[in-house]
Amino acid sequence: MARPADRADPVTGAGTALATVGEQRGPGPDAERSAERGTDRADRAPVTRTPEPRPQKVRRAAGVLGARLRSAPLTLALLAGLWLLGAATRSLGRGPSDRLLERAGIGLSTLAEGHWWTPVTSMFWCSGRGSYVFTSLLLLLVGPAAEHRLGRLRTLAVLVGGQVVGTLLGTGLVAFGSSAGEQWTASVADQISVGPGVGVFALAGVLGYRLTVLWRRRLHLLVLLVPLVMTLYVGHLQSVQRCAAALAGLGLGALVSRGRPHLRTHRSSHSETRVLVALCLVAAAFGPLLASLYDNASGPFNTFSELYFSHRLSPDEVADFCAQSAHDCARAHAVVRIFDTPGRMMAALIPALLLVLAEGLRRGLRFAWLVTVATELLWAALLCWLYLDAGPVSRDVVQYFVEALLLPLLTTGLLVATRKRFLLRLSGRSVRRLALVLGGAALASAATYVGVGRLVAGEFEPGASARRLMAGLPAQFLPPAYNDLLPDYPIAVGPVARFLETYCGLAFWAVALAVLLSVFRRPVLHTDAAAAARARALLAEHGGGTLSFIATWDGNHYWFDEGGRAAVAYRVVGTVALTTGDPFGAPEDRARAVAGFARYCDARGWTPCFYSVCGETRAATAQLGWRSVQVAEDTVVPLPELAFTGRKWQDIRTALNKAGKQGISAEWWAYHEAPLALREQIRAISEEWVSEKGLPEMGFTLGGLEELDDPDVRVLIAVDEQRVVHGLTSWMPVYENGVPVGWTLDFMRRRSDGFRGVSEFLIASAALGFKEEGARFLSLSGAPLARTGQDEEPTGLQRMLDWMGKVLEPVYGFRSLLAFKAKFQPEYRPMYMAYPDPAALPGITRAIGKAYLPHLTAAQGVRLMRKLSG
């Protein structure tokens, strides 16, 4: 069923602000013709687009990038000034000289000497070559978008003001921490910082409030995560200043953006929540890696960064081990030796594993969620083991372990809080193959280490028995920093033993990470992929109703009749087997499928309920003595004689003609083949719609972004000459004898600040295109709890449903959607819910609510009731 589109919030062009440097396409001939004033578009079909060749994409992306830079003179001037001044003062290599740093940089010492100008002058230099490159990239990402959204004067004011406030506030925080006796802040109290990155983070915080919900969340999360991770792991004065500037920018942006309606709610879709959680996990993985690039990293979390990213032992640390015993000395030299071989990659095992798991979380996989939680809990358990093994502890040691446990516990808490967003399951075949490959790789690595090690037992110190080799196996699969957990494992001294020590664990993890990444990146299939493929083939061969394609969506189970010629797609909620539309398959077998499915449910103790079915299915259930009630109304537009002529089509002709005058054209795409810039704008439009609701996105018979990514679904996009998406619709095929004879509207979204008649324009353009292809009809789908017909005397249940539709209208607008569809002069066909027992209605009602809103929380339920009562 189609969603209402007239409640979508504006897309302020985040796709062009931050994501247009990518695959884009200029207006084609059809777009140029459509811009002609006064041209009548009522007889034109939309243009079908195909993916561009990669060289053309690269050239177009380079052109777009060049155009954006040319439109940002302030950013270019700041970049040029930064590099020219750095070259003139010979600061591009190792940074400003000590004398220049003391005069222009900001720190406790320079402020104490009365250098009041340093909050401003500190932005004209950077601390080294790497800082120059990082700051330049940051400025190129944020600067052009800020100039476009805020204007040049405001951009400059926020940049300079953020630099001043961030440097002063960050320096003040370090001074306060030092006076309170905090060891970390005391260690950086004598530092002096330079670099405009402080102001750029404040600018990014303000800029986020001028973007769409999708990009606002992502930018704000990055604005917080990047400086926070740098502060916790690197801990330099400039990191604290950047963190303070980011908070100041977010506060200023919230202050100046008060009263904007699209900023009031912040509900995110399931897919976007997964992206944000994955970004948090990536930050946790990259923090220790970033700290490893700094020789003098001193952040509070850097004390245990080695547990994430193992480091080479220093000569002093080796000497300390050698002073303890010969065995400890041999172990220390063995760890040092690992870093001179490919085995050093084991040092980054945990970050690499977290990055792979982040990809699985981004795709919403339950398996990735379980492995990530297990990894974090295992890491916390290892920390506790190290703590208990440390013997008598001082206050500093206790603080060390408290800080060490904070990150895995926070990560686990975030995963538990968002657990309902990770429900996609791998197919049973994928899980079995994954277990077989991982188990085989682990067994092969362990057998090689123990078997070959036993043959060359003399190359280990002390001698390697099979028992000792087995006891030392965990050390081969863990990073070097965890070797202290196994103090008695044999140490390799000979060439073969060293080969085993270097490559056995590395080979296993190389296979494991590659296989996990491959599985996570494959499309998520139904729980029973074979049944889903069989159902799709049956649907394509024989067809079904206008909503039967919903049967191909994930989450469904399938019942097939004995001959395999008819099927029913259903999902079980509680003890109710709720169908997704009519039976489909051979027309002569569909009616018998109703009784067969009823017997199937009865044998399992389920209550069957046929939902959103046509009159034929209703008649078949009536023969079984079932009752029925109308729950929606399908709207079907015949295509063979369609012509937008006459007074009743005036609104449609107006939308088509206005689109032509404004240079807006309609393009057909397969979602997975559309350019990245278009897909990101589609995601932004959808995210804005979900955020505006403040309630969970509905599912069941209402498709979302996941359902767009189907090769059989066609997407019609309205774009202007600047490639800005004004709206989109998606269309599901209705098959007959193996070919589509009709199309059903599912996904419909629009920009509220874009072309006003975009929904009418898209549906009319789709109708013209389908008519040209020879389709017989298109269905505008049904609006739940909305109907026009009053052919029968309404029952008490029918009157209750009509009342519910009226109450839900302010929230989901189903009746408004049905009224909108009347513009296309459709045929109205009632859709029913058929059920066997009135006593089961409370359970059926709960099942339908759970199917449409499976993730509704108590707080959201309260919010929904407030909206309804208001």
Side-chain angles (χ1 to χ4, degrees), residues 589-788:
D589 294 316
R590 295 176 192 172
R592 288 195 298 270
V594 173
F597 180 70
R599 290 192 298 270
Y600 174 80
C601 293
D602 184 62
R604 285 155 180 77
W606 299 338
T607 300
C609 176
F610 280 87
Y611 187 78
S612 292
V613 297
C614 66
E616 289 79 4
T617 303
R618 181 199 188 195
T621 61
Q623 293 180 3
L624 301 177
W626 290 19
R627 299 190 181 189
S628 62
V629 64
Q630 185 179 346
V631 293
E633 201 149 49
D634 196 3
T635 46
V636 179
V637 180
L639 295 179
E641 306 300 327
L642 179 67
F644 299 129
T645 58
R647 188 171 183 178
K648 62 183 180 180
W649 295 102
Q650 180 61 47
D651 290 345
I652 307 305
R653 288 199 304 274
T654 299
L656 289 168
N657 292 330
K658 283 187 176 180
K661 293 176 182 180
Q662 297 184 24
I664 295 175
S665 60
E667 297 178 0
W668 286 113
W669 286 98
Y671 182 75
H672 66 282
E673 294 178 348
L676 177 62
L678 293 184
R679 295 201 306 270
E680 286 299 320
Q681 290 187 71
I682 291 172
R683 289 180 61 86
I685 290 173
S686 180
E687 194 66 26
E688 201 79 33
W689 189 91
V690 174
S691 175
E692 188 269 343
K693 292 294 181 188
L695 293 169
E697 192 172 8
M698 298 182 77
F700 191 30
T701 62
L702 301 174
L705 284 176
E706 290 81 2
E707 286 71 33
L708 285 185
D709 196 7
D710 187 301
D712 293 329
V713 172
R714 298 175 65 176
V715 181
L716 188 61
I717 302 174
V719 292
D720 61 21
E721 294 173 335
Q722 285 72 45
R723 306 304 294 164
V724 175
V725 176
H726 288 250
L728 71 147
T729 55
S730 72
W731 300 86
M732 305 180 296
V734 182
Y735 293 103
E736 186 176 297
N737 298 324
V739 296
V741 295
W743 295 85
T744 300
L745 175 65
D746 175 39
F747 193 83
M748 184 163 61
R749 295 283 191 272
R750 72 174 181 86
R751 291 180 56 181
S752 63
D753 66 337
F755 171 51
R756 191 169 182 80
V758 68
S759 298
E760 293 90 336
F761 165 69
L762 283 169
I763 295 176
S765 298
L768 292 172
F770 292 139
K771 176 184 176 182
E772 188 175 287
E773 295 173 4
R776 296 204 304 262
F777 65 89
L778 63 80
S779 167
L780 301 182
S781 192
L785 303 178
R787 65 193 186 106
T788 59

Side-chain angles (χ1 to χ4, degrees), residues 8-88:
D9 270 353
V11 173
T12 54
T16 54
L18 296 176
T20 52
V21 184
E23 306 165 78
Q24 289 206 21
R25 188 182 320 282
D30 183 75
E32 296 173 3
R33 290 195 301 269
S34 69
E36 299 174 3
R37 299 273 179 180
T39 300
D40 191 342
R41 295 179 52 96
D43 59 346
R44 293 184 184 174
V47 178
T48 298
R49 295 287 182 175
T50 55
E52 289 179 316
R54 185 171 296 275
Q56 188 174 351
K57 290 181 182 179
V58 173
R59 289 194 298 270
R60 194 174 298 279
V64 171
L65 178 60
R68 289 202 62 78
L69 291 179
R70 289 193 297 272
S71 66
L74 176 61
T75 301
L76 294 178
L78 290 173
L79 276 176
L82 183 69
W83 284 86
L84 289 174
L85 192 59

